Amino acid sequence: MALKEYEFYNGVVLNRLIRKGKPINIDIFPTTSSNSFMINDKVGLYIKFSTKKISPWRFSFTKEHQEEMKIMSDLLHNIYLILVCNLDGIVCIEYSELKNVLDEYYEPVEWVSVSRLKREQYSIKGSNGKLDFKIANKDFPLKIFEKLD
């Protein structure tokens, strides 16, 4: 069986989590996509990736993707969108922060864009707005472990 591209990007995220030195339990969160995981039955992760080599990186969100994240949020409360920007880095934003760039009115397809200049933090904008602050590459996986303590 051939390897799927998403397996590499999911692997990068999961590898960073398990190498942080704290024991964790990783499970698949049951959705139709292959993007969702839960950590210690407390924290949900929804992973998206872009293969574009340079900024800006654009991520598409179907209505189904947004509905899956909403269900995760209702069940787990601590949900993070993980955006893998090819080889550049990983952006980690809370579900509540995501709602600033993708609102509760789901279109058939919407987008989130991540950009950054060299040696700067990530700026996030989407179909329905933008974040007023920047995200550091080092926020992942620190934000996740804060919710696990």
Side-chain angles (χ1 to χ4, degrees):
M1 176 189 279
L3 297 174
K4 295 179 174 54
E5 191 172 37
Y6 74 84
E7 292 174 313
F8 287 101
Y9 292 98
N10 287 355
V12 166
V13 171
L14 300 177
N15 183 57
R16 281 217 183 152
L17 283 166
I18 62 175
R19 293 194 178 275
K20 268 311 200 188
K22 294 182 180 184
I24 58 172
N25 180 38
I26 302 171
D27 277 317
I28 295 171
F29 190 90
T31 62
T32 56
S33 67
S34 303
N35 305 345
S36 28
F37 299 88
M38 57 185 169
I39 311 299
N40 295 357
D41 296 322
K42 286 182 171 182
V43 175
L45 305 180
Y46 199 86
I47 303 170
K48 301 282 280 178
F49 68 91
S50 172
T51 58
K52 189 171 180 234
K53 294 191 185 319
I54 58 172
S55 174
W57 298 274
R58 198 161 175 129
F59 303 86
S60 295
F61 288 80
T62 64
K63 183 176 182 181
E64 180 181 26
H65 294 158
Q66 292 190 70
E67 288 169 346
E68 289 174 350
M69 284 188 287
K70 174 68 172 134
I71 290 167
M72 290 177 77
S73 175
D74 291 343
L75 296 174
L76 295 175
H77 305 294
N78 295 306
I79 305 301
Y80 291 89
L81 174 62
I82 309 298
L83 301 171
V84 183
C85 301
N86 196 6
L87 300 178
D88 190 79
I90 298 174
V91 175
C92 175
I93 62 173
E94 293 182 37
Y95 183 74
S96 60
E97 296 167 337
L98 175 65
K99 294 292 95 193
N100 290 315
V101 297
L102 294 178
D103 62 23
E104 294 296 331
Y105 304 103
Y106 309 145
E107 299 295 325
V109 178
E110 295 186 282
W111 56 270
V112 170
S113 178
V114 176
S115 61
R116 86 176 182 106
L117 299 173
K118 208 173 208 173
R119 293 183 287 284
E120 287 192 12
Q121 296 180 338
Y122 295 98
S123 297
I124 314 292
K125 62 182 176 180
S127 297
N128 305 116
K130 67 177 189 168
L131 292 183
D132 295 333
F133 54 91
K134 294 188 176 189
I135 306 287
N137 192 18
K138 67 180 181 175
D139 286 353
F140 179 80
L142 296 176
K143 282 184 178 180
I144 306 307
F145 284 106
E146 286 173 1
K147 299 296 181 180
L148 295 175
D149 291 336

